[in-house]
């Protein structure tokens, strides 16, 4: 329960950072640029692939950044993608509009490219992509980019978009996992979340255990609001559409639960601080020796590392583990009731009729 509550706090912080930092938008921008760059390389554009060697041209990514980013911005700033966005305002900067889009599919890309394409000279039936998307040099024109037709682009997108989307999704997962580990490390040190000390206090204090167990429904409700479900039902890159205010409220609730448990989380009641104060003679407690203080310090650091490792597993892992433990407990209680029931019925049937009626009337 304690690890689940703390992991929900970490999850809320991570979601705040993801929303503020626009992690999804950054990954989407990179995916669309890779899409256009791959399309040009597939058709051996001389600005991307060296015609002599057939290998990527020197500094191709840097030289082609301007036109490929124009493609990205024009696609993500298209009004079609913002029709359902509540944050869209009249006259918004296209650079800012691109940060509002967090998902796009292959049909969206093809539709937007079709709307921006222009007829080829001398052939009104063939549509060419805008030259500003594929001509990055000075004075580039569509005449030198005859491969950049809407048909070729559509075929490339339908073939390779799922692969690029999967790569982008994996990139997002890795960034969120690294962010989760970083946030867990920072919060463990900031709040002095010593996992070993928490376990010791729970073992020694029955009232604390009962108080923690009483918050089961509250914690599971918080997990539901944060979109944390068992890992078998939740994609690692799936985050709920939760506002920053709602995330802040959930962070406050989980922090309150951890504080009310009185498990030594924080620096004021930290046992390692008291050991250092005793070593310096600031407390009336017996002063530890240097060897004892070193041992306590290493044990404390091990407790912090233990907490970091446990919290880095993520809230979905702890939700799954906790749900399985609840199911196991309910199953054990159900089997105990089944074992007790036959014995009660047998003992009741052996009694005379009046006594039997009284035994049945009394609660077991």
């Amino acid at each position: 329960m304690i690890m689940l509550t703390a992991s929900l706090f970490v999850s809320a912080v991570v979601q705040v950072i993801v929303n503020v930092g626009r992690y999804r938008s950054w990954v989407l921008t990179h995916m669309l640029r890779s899409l256009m760059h791959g399309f040009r390389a597939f058709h051996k554009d001389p600005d991307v692939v060296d015609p002599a060697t057939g290998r990527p041209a020197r500094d191709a990514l840097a030289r082609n950044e301007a036109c490929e980013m124009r493609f990205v911005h024009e696609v993500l700033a298209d009004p079609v993608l913002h029709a359902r966005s509540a944050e869209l305002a009249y006259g918004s900067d296209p650079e800012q509009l691109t940060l509002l889009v967090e998902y796009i599919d292959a049909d969206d890309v093809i539709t937007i490219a079709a709307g921006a394409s222009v007829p080829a000279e001398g052939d009104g039936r063939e549509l060419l992509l805008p030259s500003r998307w594929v001509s990055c040099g000075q004075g580039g024109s569509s005449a030198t980019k005859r491969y950049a037709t809407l048909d070729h682009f559509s075929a490339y997108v339908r073939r390779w978009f799922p692969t690029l989307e999967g790569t982008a999704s994996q990139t997002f997962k890795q960034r969120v996992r690294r962010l989760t580990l970083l946030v867990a490390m920072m919060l463990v040190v900031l709040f002095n979340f010593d996992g070993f000390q928490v376990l010791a206090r729970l073992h020694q204090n029955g009232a604390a255990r009962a108080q923690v167990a009483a918050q089961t429904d509250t914690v599971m409700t918080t997990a539901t609001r944060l979109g944390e479900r068992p890992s078998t039902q939740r994609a690692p890159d799936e985050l709920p559409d939760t506002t920053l205010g709602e995330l802040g409220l959930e962070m406050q609730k989980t922090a309150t639960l951890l504080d009310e448990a009185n498990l030594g989380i924080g620096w004021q009641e930290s046992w390692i601080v008291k050991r250092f104060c005793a070593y310096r003679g600031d407390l009336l407690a017996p002063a530890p020796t240097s060897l004892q203080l070193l041992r306590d310090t290493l044990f404390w650091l091990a407790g912090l590392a233990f907490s970091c490792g446990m919290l880095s597993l993520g809230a979905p892992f702890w939700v799954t583990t906790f749900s399985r433990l609840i199911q196991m407990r309910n199953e054990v209680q159900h089997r105990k009731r089944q074992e007790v029931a036959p014995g009660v019925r047998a003992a009741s049937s052996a009694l005379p009729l009046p006594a039997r009626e009284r035994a049945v009337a009394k609660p077991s």
Side-chain angles (χ1 to χ4, degrees):
M1 270 287 298
I2 292 297
M3 286 299 173
L4 173 58
T5 306
S7 66
L8 290 176
F9 183 86
V10 172
S11 178
V13 175
V14 169
Q15 290 184 34
V16 169
I17 297 175
V18 168
N19 290 340
V20 174
R22 302 291 183 182
Y23 273 44
R24 289 195 190 98
S25 299
W26 182 89
V27 173
L28 183 59
T29 298
H30 182 74
M31 182 190 72
L32 288 177
R33 188 187 171 190
S34 300
L35 179 68
M36 177 55 72
H37 193 85
F39 171 68
R40 300 175 67 200
F42 181 78
H43 291 281
K44 295 181 173 53
D45 189 318
D47 290 336
V48 179
V49 178
D50 189 346
T53 61
R55 297 180 178 179
R58 184 183 300 273
D59 300 329
L61 286 175
R63 287 190 293 104
N64 292 280
E65 179 179 5
C67 64
E68 291 168 359
M69 289 305 297
R70 278 196 296 270
F71 162 75
V72 173
H73 288 157
E74 291 184 21
V75 168
L76 295 182
D78 192 278
V80 173
L81 299 179
H82 296 272
R84 53 188 178 273
S85 175
E87 300 181 47
L88 179 62
Y90 177 77
S92 297
D93 184 5
E95 293 282 347
Q96 297 298 323
L97 290 179
T98 59
L99 298 177
L100 301 180
V101 181
E102 296 182 340
Y103 177 77
I104 192 172
D105 59 25
D107 292 333
D108 290 332
V109 177
I110 295 173
T111 301
I112 295 172
S117 299
V118 296
E121 295 180 2
D123 188 358
R125 294 174 299 176
E126 187 178 42
L127 295 178
L128 294 177
L129 297 180
S131 60
R132 59 184 179 276
W133 291 359
V134 293
S135 298
C136 299
Q138 295 294 331
S141 64
S142 60
T144 59
K145 310 289 185 179
R146 297 295 299 180
Y147 70 87
T149 64
L150 179 61
D151 291 339
H152 289 166
F153 182 73
S154 300
Y156 182 85
V157 170
R158 294 192 184 282
R159 179 179 178 183
W160 293 107
F161 190 87
T163 301
L164 291 173
E165 187 179 33
T167 303
S169 177
Q170 187 65 26
T171 301
F172 180 77
K173 295 174 190 177
Q174 292 176 352
R175 289 173 66 89
V176 170
R177 286 169 183 163
R178 295 194 194 103
L179 180 61
T180 301
L181 177 59
L182 178 61
V183 170
M185 293 172 61
M186 293 179 61
L187 293 180
V188 163
V189 175
L190 182 63
F191 295 104
N192 187 36
F193 185 35
D194 183 352
F196 292 159
Q197 184 66 16
V198 169
L199 290 174
R201 291 209 177 190
L202 284 173
H203 178 70
Q204 298 169 1
N205 193 338
R209 292 198 302 271
Q211 186 175 4
V212 170
Q215 302 295 334
T216 299
D217 294 337
T218 303
V219 172
M220 294 305 293
T221 303
T222 300
T224 301
R225 281 198 292 262
L226 288 176
E228 303 294 354
R229 298 189 296 275
S231 57
T232 56
Q233 303 177 8
R234 176 184 183 272
D237 60 339
E238 178 187 349
L239 293 177
D241 296 327
T242 312
T243 64
L244 295 181
E246 293 172 343
L247 290 173
L249 181 61
E250 301 305 333
M251 289 167 55
Q252 182 180 0
K253 289 181 178 179
T254 51
T256 302
L257 291 176
L258 292 173
D259 184 59
E260 290 179 350
N262 193 24
L263 297 174
I265 300 175
W267 289 99
Q268 292 183 346
E269 299 297 328
S270 173
W271 69 277
I272 191 64
V273 172
K274 294 180 180 179
R275 295 294 284 173
F276 270 97
C277 291
Y279 179 77
R280 294 175 52 185
D282 297 335
L283 293 179
L284 298 179
T289 64
S290 299
L291 184 60
Q292 290 175 335
L293 184 63
L294 177 61
R295 181 196 60 190
D296 293 341
T297 302
L298 293 177
F299 186 77
W300 168 69
L301 293 175
L304 297 184
F306 171 76
S307 299
C308 288
M310 295 296 100
L311 295 180
S312 65
L313 295 174
F317 170 82
W318 290 110
V319 172
T320 303
T321 303
F322 188 73
S323 299
R324 290 176 178 173
L325 290 175
I326 293 296
Q327 293 175 0
M328 186 183 302
R329 184 189 66 178
N330 294 339
E331 181 66 21
V332 170
Q333 293 177 348
H334 178 67
R335 292 187 178 183
K336 284 183 177 180
R337 287 193 295 267
Q338 288 181 334
E339 293 174 357
V340 171
V344 172
R345 287 195 296 267
S348 177
S349 61
L351 295 174
L353 184 58
R356 190 188 314 171
E357 293 176 351
R358 289 195 300 271
V360 172
K362 293 182 179 180
S364 58

